Every structure is written in C-alpha cells, then in structure tokens.
Amino acid sequence: MGWKNICKRRLRVFAVTLMIYLDYKAVQKKAKWVSKGKEDALWARTHERNARRVLNLIIELEGLWVKLGQYLSTRADVLPEAYIGLLKQLQDSLPARPLEEVRQTIEEELGKSVDELFSSFDGNPLATASIAQVHRATLKDGQQVVVKVQHVGIKEVILEDLKNAKAIVDWIAWAEPQYNFSPMIDEWCREAPKELDFNHEAENTRKVSTNLGCKKDNDGTSHTNSVNVLIPEVIQSSEKILVLEYMDGIRLNDIESFEAYGIDKQKLVEEITRAYAHQIYVDGFFNGDPHPGNFLVSKEPPNSPILLDFGLTKSLSSSMKQALAKMFLACGEGNHVALLSSFAEMGLKLRLDMPDLAMEVSTLFFRTSTLASEALENAKSLNGQREKNMKIIQEKMNLDQKEAKRFNPVDAFPGDAIIFMRVLNLLRGLSSTMNVRISYLDIMKPFAEEALLGKLRNAPKMNMEWICNTPVHSSVEEKLRQLLVQMGDKILGLQVCAYKDGKVIIDTAAGVLGRYDPRPVLPDSLFPVFSVTKGITAGMVHWLVDKGKLKLEETIANIWPEFGTNGKDLMKVHHVLNHTSGLHNAMADVMQNNPLLLCDWDQSLNLIAKCSPETEIGTQQLYHYLSFGWLCGGVIEHASGKKLQEVLEEAIVHPLNIEGELYIGIPPGVESRLATLSLDTDDLEKFASIQSRSEIPGSLQQGNIIEMVTTLPFFFNTLNVRRAIIPAANGHCSARALARYYAALATGGNIPSHSSLSKPPVGDHPHIPKFSSAKAKRKHRSCNIRTPSMGCSIFSHNDDSITYNLVSNMVEEDTKQCMFNKPNIHDAFMGSGDFSNLVFSEGKFGLGFRTFESTDSHDTKTFGHSGIGGSTGFCNVEHNFAIAVTVNKMSLGGVTRKIIQLVCSELKIPLPVEFSEHGEIGPDMQLSLQQT
C-alpha cells in the first residue's frame, strides 16, 4: 500500500467520522426545540443517514472496517434499527476478488496449481469476508472441502486500519471522555494481526474442536456440561491458505430454511451460548468473534450449530479464568465481596469505592438479552442508567460537571477481559438478531461453577501440597500439618498460629479461601471470626482502663449520658464485660425485623442506649451474643472521644505491628484476601439439640436455630455486613494476628518477637488501602469518613502510620514494649484476685474474656474467646502460651478441638475442658457459653 493510498484512506475515515459526529451534535441541539412526535422522526432520519454513511465507507475501504460493521450489525439490543438493517449486508458477502488472484495465491502458498490439488474448484466463492474469501472444492480423493484464501495485500490494509481506528478512538476519548474505548482498541490491536496467519487459525480450530469434543472419534458419551456443536476438520494450512472439511449448513439469516427444517432458534442460540461458556470457563480458550456470519446450522438432525472462523481467539491463564468465573457467579448471587475480589485477581483497578455501582455495571454484561424490537427502549434505559451512575460518581467524588465528564472510574483494565466482554456483547447481539431471549446467568452458571469447583475437586486434598508452603517452625507444627491432611474434607480453609514463651512455634495455613474460591489460604488471609471479636473488643476496654480514661466500676451513664435510662442508670462497665447487665437479648426484636440494622453503627448505639434490662443488673450471667459489642463499643467511643476503629489501631494494631491483618469492619481494598464462609452440613442436626439448652439466650431458644445457622454464612459474606462495625461478631483477622494479640496478653501486654520465617512478614500490608481521587489529595494525620448506611469507617493511609510501621519493623527482639502498665492486668482479664468481686461467682466469664478450666485442674489461668463455627483464640498465662485457629467451614468445632488437643498434648499445656473429648460442643462459645 503506497503512501498516496494510505493518506487517502486515512482522510476518508476521519472525514466521515467527523461528519457523523457533527451531524449528531447538531441534531442533539435541534431536538430540544421540537415536539416529541417530530423528535422521534428527526432521530430516525439522522440514524438512517449516518448508517448509510458508515455502510458506504465500509464497502469502499473493506479490511478491518468490515469486521467493525459486522460487530455493529449484531448489536440489535443497543443500536438503532437503521444501523442493523443496513449493516446486516456485511454478514452475507462482500464483492469477490478475481479468480486469477485466488489461484495465484494458492499456488504460491501450497507449491502446486489448483488443478494439481483439486479434482474440482468452484470459481464462485461461497462468501467473501474482510480478510479472505471461501471457495468450495473437491480433493483428489473425493473429499468435499472449502478453501479459505487470504486477500492479496490485506495485511498492510489491516495494520493501517488499526492505526486509524486507534487514532479515532483517542480523538473520541478527548472529545467525549465518557466514551473512552482505548483499552478495547489496544487489545484489538494486539489480537487482530494474529488473524492474518492461517496456520494460527488452523491450530486454534483443532484446539477448540478437541476441547468441545467435536472429534470424529469421540465416543459419543455425554459428559457434565458437554455441548452439542460441530467444527470442520482442518485438512491443510499455510500462512494464507486454509483447507477445511465442507459442512452443509444453513446461514443464520436464512429464515425460510429455518422454517423448512423446523429449527428451534431458541435452542440453537442457547447451544451456541453454552459452547462459548465452555470455551471461556472450562477451557480458558475461546473464539473472540461470534458474529452471525461465523455460524451455520447443520441440515441433519439435531440441527447442531456449526462454529466457523477461529482466527481471533483468546487464551486465558488459570487465574484469569477463575477470576472471570468468580465475577460471573458474584453477579448472579449479588456477592459484592466476591465481585471486588475477582476485580483484584484479574487486575481491574477502580479509582473509587462504590461496590453497589460496580455490581450494577458488571451485572449488565450478564443480563438477559432483549429482543430486537426492544432495542430502542433498551438503549434509552442503558443511557439513562449511565447518566444516573455518572451523577452518583460526581456526588461521590465531589466533582463539578466538567470534571465529572472527564472522570474515568477505571484506573486499570486487564487486556484479557476486553475480548471476553466483546464476546458477551456479540452473543447478546446474536440473540437479539435471532429475536430470542437468552438468560445468560442460567445457561453459563454450570460452566462457571465447574471452573471453580473443578479446581477444588482436583486439588491435592490428601497430601502436603494442600498445606501452604511456608517454613516449619517446630516439630509440633510438623505433626499438626500431618493431622490436617488426615482430617481432609472436614476442612475447607484454615489457619493455625501459636506462640510459646514469646516465640512463634506454629504458623500454618491450609486449604482454599472458599467454596467458589480455589485460591490457597495464605498466612495473611483474612477470616471472619464471629464472637472471637469480643475478646478484641474487651482488650480495648481494658486498654482504656489501663490508660486512666475509664474505670471498671464506673457507671456507664457518667460517660454516656443517653444510656442512663430505662433502669440502666446504675449499670457499670464491669457488668457489661461480665455479661451480667441483663441486656443479653437487647435489640433482638429489631434484628429479627430488620437484620441490616446491624450495619448502622450510630443507629445501633442509639437503640442500645434506650433498651431496658430483662433481669436485675449483676444477678445473672447470660451471654450477650450481639449486644456485648454495642455496649462495649459505646463505652469505648464515649470514654476515649475517638471512633472505635481508631482505638483499635492505637491500642492493638499499631503496638503489635499487625497492620492489614486485624479489622472490625473491613475497609475497601482487602476483598481479595477474604475467606468466604460456608457451612459443614454434617453438623446441622447437632444444632437442634443445642436449641433446647437452658443456658441459650431466650431470643435464640424461641427461634429456629438451624435456620439461623444456615443463614449466617450468607449474611456475613455480604459486603455491607463485613464493612460494618459489629464489635461482638464482625472481626476479620489472620490467625497469626490473633495469636500475636493473645501472646501479648499472656505476658501482661509485652510485645512478642517477630518470626523471621513468616512469609509475607507480619505487618507487611498497608493497613488501609488507598483509592486515588480525581482531585489532588491533601495529607491528613487521620481521616475518618463514615458511611451511615453501612456504618463503616475508611481511614486514609497517612505518613504517620508509615513511619510507625518502619520503626516497628526495626524493633529488636529485646526491646521492651508493653501494651499495659498495671502489673495485675491478668486478674482484670479473668476477673480474679482484686477483681473477683466484679464478676459473677462460678460464671464462665471474667471481665470480657471466657475463662477456661483445664481437664486436670479447676484453676482458670487460661482465657480467650471463641466464635460460632470453630474459630478461636486464647492464652495460658502460666505456660506463656497462645494459640489461634481460624476456619471458613463453619461447624461445631470438631476440627478446632482436634488441633487444640494435639498442640496442648505435644507442649504439655493443660487442655481446656471445652476442647476435650468430654466438652459438649468444643469451642462454639456463641451457643454454649454460660451456665448459671
């Protein structure tokens, strides 16, 4: 292609593009001054006029523009009818290239003349497309074939067209920033040239055929998620020639033949969709160009789809395939945590934290397709939704109108996802063109599940590869890992960390992050630990007492005036810590009627302040399963004058250097490290026997405890709950952070040494992830943005915390640091010694912590807290021992019990009764706590 032709071609493209752009802008202004009836007619004429301009330009230039036209012709769900009607012509055939040119290309590529290669060769092409044209022929052995011959000089044309397309997209992004398609054109520029090598297409064809089970020697067995499609066999190929098996089929636009053969369009398009779901989610290798011209329908029953043209294909890595599958399932289930986690896994970065908006936009790709007749209304709806979303972003980011117009919420978009999105849009367009509705969430779900569950099924469950490959700290850790392998399927994902005499002796992670998340659990993964959170919250109260900002015998109404109503004017801090306030069922009716109220921190505090005790204060120890968190949280905030999460950082996170591994209410950006809860269904029947026990709180006895337990994983997997401040039940931490906390408590607050074997190092994460903003950021010492609907806090990552981390990481092991000043702080934790008058005699709680009797003694030198499902953390003061176990497969604690038994036995540590074989339900303290 000479420079003259290049300049002429480029000039035509830009001239027509500018003409269309100016035409639409002019009509946009004119439409404001005409009536509704005239406005519709005005836009119809405008679409018709510009659609014809596009068609004429494509026919004139051919090359890459034909592919663009074919793509647009399939978008009957969003484009005006004028474009669809005119551009459909491109699906049939373009003007044929001269036969002599075709013959010459065949001879140059295959080294023989057409007459030497074929017994017959039809000079009239079956079809002529943008890159090649196809002729029917017969081989010397009598086999019927088709011969795909690349156009002479098309490579130069395509490469030039890509440059022009890139320039146009860049110009549009400048003129109309909300329409920035640069990532898409960049990916197309990378992938499109591959279509010019037919050897590449031949290999792709063979691979897809094998993956989908289209081989002739296939045994015909129907496997799980198998598909019923046909793909022609590759006979011969070169760079510019491709010889394929001939298959007699019907084109998708041949409506008369469809009716004559009785072809069900709905089933046809569903099978095509299933074939693509298989390619994407199961194989990780898919055809990126499913426009109507690349399909035929077999004339033989069962009228299977015939898939053609595998020049543009995309290969996905295992991690990307799983991330796309997780994104799909997250959209189907409305799981914001999984969605944001999938974004992080695939490398998609956002400039703002708006999970609801991210879910809404993502779900659009998988929505049920619309009919062609609904295209106009669908386009209006999508445009209206886009404008609404931009307004929300504008308000969220505090942008003026000009800034909002140029703001792009996406910071980085993975190239692998571009072709994936293109395929989804083409499939949607195909279904609209065929005038059928396709429910993508229903059809593609089994394949997405197979991408994740298949990985789990094939995981090395019964050997050491299932254990995270981190160094072994001790012989007891080696034995523990062997035990974990033996327990096998009882475990989904798990972490265990233990300290002895201030040193790490166990730091093990095993399994996967969730039922739909086959990524391995790492030492820094974050697990929801339910009531384990109470022990952390109690530690914050004691820290304030130790600093002189609060007294255990202080009347709560003195620091929280609103609290001193409805018989609570004499309630003291120690009553709350000891579960003797009489507010064990507080807000139970509110939670039953509106569970999401849990997520509103300020409203929950207001409501708890108005509650009335059910029993006389200080007379009975009844487990405060959720009210404990709001009561302690209110005390913490009113006594300190700070937000709860600020106190958490100051009292626990910073001193222990566990940044990024301990939260009460997660911040945005850590979703990719979250473990997802599931339920051990084998333990369900055992819950029924618990419900009748007298020590269970009344609100739990009255309800269906099995229903509650089965609902918990779903409820606490949701993002708004995980981000909420629920200091009784919503801690998210790693086992090593929790064990480090209890290792410090075991010594009265002395900070234990780090383990040099821990990978990644403890405290290696920035505590609060950063989100870039459209406006220049100003540095703050601390920024607390509260979201009323979620009750969550988002703190900026400031220079002070960075400095603190650097200093903490340089602290030598012999440096004396201590979280508490009082020498008898242990007695305060356990409600013993000088503090024994503040606790309920013979109760199972000290002041905020569960006290454990050992199997060989009634001494209570062990304290901590467990949560429903099996996670636990506790320490033994006499033996300077601390341990934490986190699990994501909720059960009655059988796995945790065996772990604790092994570790205590090996270390000669007294075994807490609740973890012995005689313990009724092990560590499930949320349902088995107090016995009055």
Side-chain angles (χ1 to χ4, degrees):
M1 181 183 294
W3 278 107
K4 183 177 180 181
N5 286 335
I6 290 176
C7 292
K8 180 180 177 182
R9 192 176 184 88
R10 187 171 298 178
L11 183 61
R12 284 288 294 139
V13 170
F14 279 90
V16 173
T17 301
L18 182 60
M19 187 184 305
I20 293 173
Y21 175 75
L22 294 176
D23 190 4
Y24 273 108
K25 296 299 285 187
V27 172
Q28 192 177 45
K29 293 182 178 180
K30 184 178 180 180
K32 296 178 181 179
W33 303 98
V34 299
S35 64
K36 177 64 178 175
K38 291 183 178 181
E39 181 185 354
D40 291 342
L42 176 64
W43 280 114
R45 291 193 300 272
T46 304
H47 294 323
E48 179 74 25
R49 181 169 63 245
N50 288 300
R52 194 163 295 281
R53 285 170 176 163
V54 171
L55 177 63
N56 291 337
L57 178 68
I58 290 173
I59 292 175
E60 175 188 344
L61 299 181
E62 296 186 354
L64 184 72
W65 303 107
V66 175
K67 283 197 168 294
L68 175 61
Q70 290 172 336
Y71 172 71
L72 295 176
S73 73
T74 66
R75 299 312 311 276
D77 55 327
V78 293
L79 281 180
E81 186 178 349
Y83 282 88
I84 304 303
L86 287 170
L87 296 180
K88 270 185 179 180
Q89 300 175 36
L90 301 172
Q91 295 178 12
D92 295 329
S93 192
L94 296 173
R97 293 296 179 95
L99 181 59
E100 189 56 39
E101 176 186 305
V102 171
R103 286 177 170 271
Q104 182 178 345
T105 301
I106 292 175
E107 186 169 349
E108 290 174 354
E109 287 292 302
L110 302 182
K112 294 182 180 179
S113 67
V114 170
D115 294 334
E116 291 177 289
L117 292 166
F118 308 102
S119 60
S120 66
F121 187 90
D122 191 343
N124 296 316
L126 293 173
T128 302
S130 57
I131 293 177
Q133 64 188 41
V134 179
H135 292 261
R136 187 172 177 180
T138 305
L139 296 178
K140 292 295 185 178
D141 62 5
Q143 182 177 2
Q144 298 290 307
V145 296
V146 293
V147 185
K148 185 176 181 178
V149 185
Q150 190 173 122
H151 300 323
V152 174
I154 194 63
K155 182 174 184 178
E156 292 76 10
V157 171
I158 292 291
L159 295 179
E160 174 62 22
D161 287 346
L162 285 171
K163 293 178 184 178
N164 292 339
K166 171 64 174 168
I168 290 173
V169 167
D170 289 344
W171 176 74
I172 292 175
W174 172 82
E176 303 287 339
Q178 67 270 37
Y179 299 109
N180 184 1
F181 303 110
S182 294
M184 298 183 186
I185 194 65
D186 290 342
E187 181 67 13
W188 204 2
C189 288
R190 283 191 291 269
E191 296 296 330
K194 296 178 183 178
E195 292 189 82
L196 299 170
D197 185 350
F198 288 173
N199 283 319
H200 179 74
E201 180 177 344
E203 182 58 34
N204 293 340
T205 304
R206 294 188 185 100
K207 186 171 182 177
V208 176
S209 179
T210 300
N211 289 343
L212 297 182
C214 300
K215 288 269 188 186
K216 287 185 176 180
D217 57 358
N218 187 27
D219 59 10
T221 304
S222 178
H223 302 287
T224 303
N225 290 335
S226 60
V227 295
N228 180 26
V229 295
L230 301 173
I231 295 177
E233 182 184 358
V234 176
I235 307 300
Q236 187 178 5
S237 69
S238 70
E239 183 180 356
K240 298 179 181 179
I241 300 293
L242 180 60
V243 182
L244 299 167
E245 168 193 9
Y246 172 75
M247 287 187 170
D248 190 17
I250 305 167
R251 299 186 68 84
L252 296 192
N253 60 2
D254 189 350
I255 304 302
E256 292 183 1
S257 294
F258 267 60
E259 294 177 355
Y261 283 88
I263 295 172
D264 187 327
K265 292 191 296 181
Q266 180 75 32
K267 290 183 178 179
L268 173 71
V269 180
E270 285 182 356
E271 199 61 37
I272 291 174
T273 304
R274 295 181 76 252
Y276 272 83
H278 194 292
Q279 291 175 64
I280 294 168
Y281 296 119
V282 178
D283 309 324
F285 186 80
F286 60 94
N287 178 8
D289 200 20
H291 67 78
N294 284 343
F295 298 100
L296 297 173
V297 185
S298 172
K299 294 181 179 179
E300 300 293 329
N303 305 117
S304 302
I306 303 173
L307 278 54
L308 308 173
D309 194 348
F310 294 89
L312 178 61
T313 56
K314 187 67 182 176
S315 181
L316 300 174
S317 65
S318 177
S319 59
M320 175 58 74
K321 182 176 70 172
Q322 290 167 21
L324 290 175
K326 183 192 276 191
M327 180 177 73
F328 176 90
L329 294 170
C331 289
E333 297 179 357
N335 188 332
H336 295 80
V337 172
L339 180 68
L340 297 182
S341 173
S342 71
F343 286 174
E345 291 165 42
M346 68 177 67
L348 193 160
K349 298 179 181 178
L350 302 177
R351 289 193 172 96
L352 72 170
D353 175 46
M354 298 185 68
D356 290 333
L357 184 59
M359 175 63 73
E360 184 177 306
V361 173
S362 300
T363 305
L364 284 176
F365 289 105
F366 308 109
R367 70 191 187 280
T368 300
S369 62
T370 54
L371 304 180
S373 59
E374 301 167 353
L376 181 60
E377 288 303 316
N378 186 48
K380 288 181 179 179
S381 174
L382 292 176
N383 187 58
Q385 189 60 51
R386 185 188 65 80
E387 292 178 355
K388 178 184 175 183
N389 291 342
M390 290 307 298
K391 186 175 181 180
I392 294 173
I393 291 173
Q394 181 178 351
E395 294 175 355
K396 168 82 173 181
M397 302 300 293
N398 193 25
L399 306 173
D400 58 35
Q401 193 167 3
K402 184 177 180 180
E403 289 174 323
K405 185 177 180 182
R406 292 189 170 275
F407 178 71
N408 187 347
V410 179
D411 187 39
F413 202 96
D416 284 350
I418 298 292
I419 303 297
F420 169 74
M421 291 169 54
R422 180 176 185 268
V423 166
L424 291 178
N425 284 332
L426 281 167
L427 289 173
R428 185 178 308 285
L430 174 65
S431 61
S432 294
T433 299
M434 300 298 290
N435 209 37
V436 295
R437 293 188 193 277
I438 299 297
S439 175
Y440 297 101
L441 288 175
D442 292 335
I443 293 175
M444 302 179 89
K445 182 178 180 179
F447 300 94
E449 287 182 332
E450 184 171 340
L452 296 180
L453 299 183
K455 174 78 173 180
L456 293 179
R457 284 194 294 267
N458 298 327
K461 278 282 187 176
M462 301 308 292
N463 59 49
M464 284 298 177
E465 292 179 31
W466 182 58
I467 309 288
C468 182
N469 186 24
T470 52
V472 177
H473 291 76
S474 63
S475 59
V476 66
E477 182 170 22
E478 188 172 352
K479 292 180 180 179
L480 170 67
R481 295 187 178 190
Q482 294 172 357
L483 173 65
L484 297 181
V485 171
Q486 293 172 13
M487 285 192 284
D489 289 338
K490 292 297 292 182
I491 299 171
L492 181 61
L494 168 147
Q495 296 169 322
V496 183
C497 184
Y499 280 76
K500 182 72 173 70
D501 299 326
K503 304 287 186 181
V504 176
I505 58 169
I506 298 172
D507 189 5
T508 288
V512 294
L513 286 175
R515 178 170 170 257
Y516 282 156
D517 194 341
R519 292 175 301 142
V521 173
L522 301 176
D524 61 341
S525 298
L526 298 173
F527 279 69
V529 293
F530 289 103
S531 286
V532 172
T533 316
K534 292 182 176 68
I536 298 166
T537 303
M540 294 160 64
V541 175
H542 284 286
W543 183 82
L544 290 172
V545 172
D546 186 73
K547 302 304 178 188
K549 298 181 180 181
L550 182 67
K551 295 180 180 179
L552 291 173
E553 294 186 85
E554 187 163 5
T555 302
I556 296 175
N558 287 344
I559 58 171
W560 186 359
E562 298 84 357
F563 188 80
T565 61
N566 298 325
K568 303 192 300 298
D569 53 313
L570 298 180
M571 188 178 298
K572 300 180 185 296
V573 173
H574 67 81
H575 292 135
V576 171
L577 289 175
N578 192 232
H579 297 263
T580 57
S581 75
L583 294 171
H584 45 286
N585 286 325
M587 290 175 58
D589 56 336
V590 176
M591 289 182 289
Q592 185 174 1
N593 297 328
N594 183 15
L596 291 179
L597 188 61
L598 286 168
C599 303
D600 193 327
W601 173 242
D602 293 326
Q603 180 68 1
S604 294
L605 289 186
N606 291 335
L607 290 173
I608 201 74
K610 298 175 183 177
C611 289
S612 302
E614 291 187 23
T615 59
E616 184 180 350
I617 297 171
T619 61
Q620 295 185 61
Q621 188 177 84
L622 295 168
Y623 183 50
H624 292 38
Y625 59 103
L626 280 175
S627 57
F628 182 90
W630 296 311
L631 292 167
C632 287
V635 169
I636 290 168
E637 291 200 344
H638 285 85
S640 67
K642 299 178 180 180
K643 296 302 179 184
L644 182 136
Q645 290 172 316
E646 292 178 292
V647 178
L648 175 64
E649 289 187 9
E650 186 178 353
I652 297 175
V653 173
H654 284 331
L656 293 175
N657 190 35
I658 50 176
E659 278 78 5
E661 295 190 37
L662 175 61
Y663 298 103
I664 297 178
I666 63 165
V670 302
E671 292 82 7
S672 62
R673 290 195 287 126
L674 290 180
T676 305
L677 293 167
S678 65
L679 190 65
D680 188 342
T681 54
D682 293 341
D683 277 358
L684 272 180
E685 292 183 3
K686 299 177 184 177
F687 280 105
S689 62
I690 299 171
Q691 184 168 331
S692 60
R693 291 177 56 185
S694 60
E695 66 269 22
I696 298 301
S699 60
L700 293 182
Q701 290 179 351
Q702 295 165 10
N704 185 335
I705 201 167
I706 294 181
E707 182 179 345
M708 183 204 74
V709 170
T710 54
T711 304
L712 273 177
F714 172 80
F715 188 65
F716 275 86
N717 280 335
T718 59
L719 186 61
N720 57 340
V721 174
R722 287 191 159 189
R723 287 189 173 182
I725 304 173
I726 311 175
N730 201 36
H732 286 77
C733 63
S734 64
R736 65 183 188 176
L738 185 61
R740 187 167 174 77
Y741 169 63
Y742 276 106
L745 296 189
T747 58
N750 291 321
I751 308 300
S753 62
H754 295 281
S755 168
S756 60
L757 300 179
S758 295
K759 302 296 178 186
V762 176
D764 192 50
H765 290 281
H767 186 49
I768 301 298
K770 294 182 291 185
F771 281 86
S772 54
S773 170
K775 292 184 180 290
K777 286 186 175 181
R778 293 176 297 178
K779 292 183 179 179
H780 300 277
R781 288 184 62 80
S782 180
C783 174
N784 185 261
I785 305 171
R786 298 184 62 77
T787 307
S789 61
M790 291 186 178
C792 66
S793 297
I794 305 169
F795 301 92
S796 66
H797 188 57
N798 53 66
D799 292 339
D800 291 344
S801 65
I802 295 174
T803 303
Y804 192 101
N805 290 344
L806 292 174
V807 172
S808 297
N809 287 331
M810 293 188 291
V811 171
E812 299 295 332
E813 291 188 5
D814 59 351
T815 300
K816 298 300 181 183
Q817 289 181 294
C818 192
M819 297 168 63
F820 302 99
N821 298 315
K822 292 182 172 59
N824 62 342
I825 192 70
H826 287 132
D827 289 339
F829 297 152
M830 295 181 284
S832 59
D834 294 340
F835 301 90
S836 59
N837 63 316
L838 303 182
V839 300
F840 188 77
S841 60
E842 300 182 1
K844 292 195 173 185
F845 277 98
L847 293 175
F849 294 92
R850 177 77 162 82
T851 56
F852 300 94
E853 292 183 356
S854 65
T855 54
D856 57 359
S857 170
H858 291 292
D859 293 337
T860 54
K861 296 298 183 181
T862 302
F863 65 91
H865 216 299
S866 300
I868 188 171
S871 294
T872 191
F874 66 86
C875 62
N876 182 294
V877 176
E878 287 185 339
H879 292 266
N880 194 3
F881 167 74
I883 189 169
V885 180
T886 57
V887 298
N888 60 354
K889 189 174 187 179
M890 297 174 61
S891 69
L892 289 176
V895 168
T896 304
R897 176 184 298 180
K898 290 184 180 300
I899 291 170
I900 302 297
Q901 289 174 357
L902 171 71
V903 175
C904 288
S905 174
E906 292 293 322
L907 298 176
K908 311 301 182 186
I909 304 291
L911 178 68
V913 172
E914 283 73 8
F915 296 99
S916 70
E917 292 300 329
H918 302 291
E920 290 189 3
I921 54 173
D924 194 7
M925 299 307 152
Q926 177 130 344
L927 296 178
S928 70
L929 289 171
Q930 66 297 339
Q931 290 185 359
T932 58

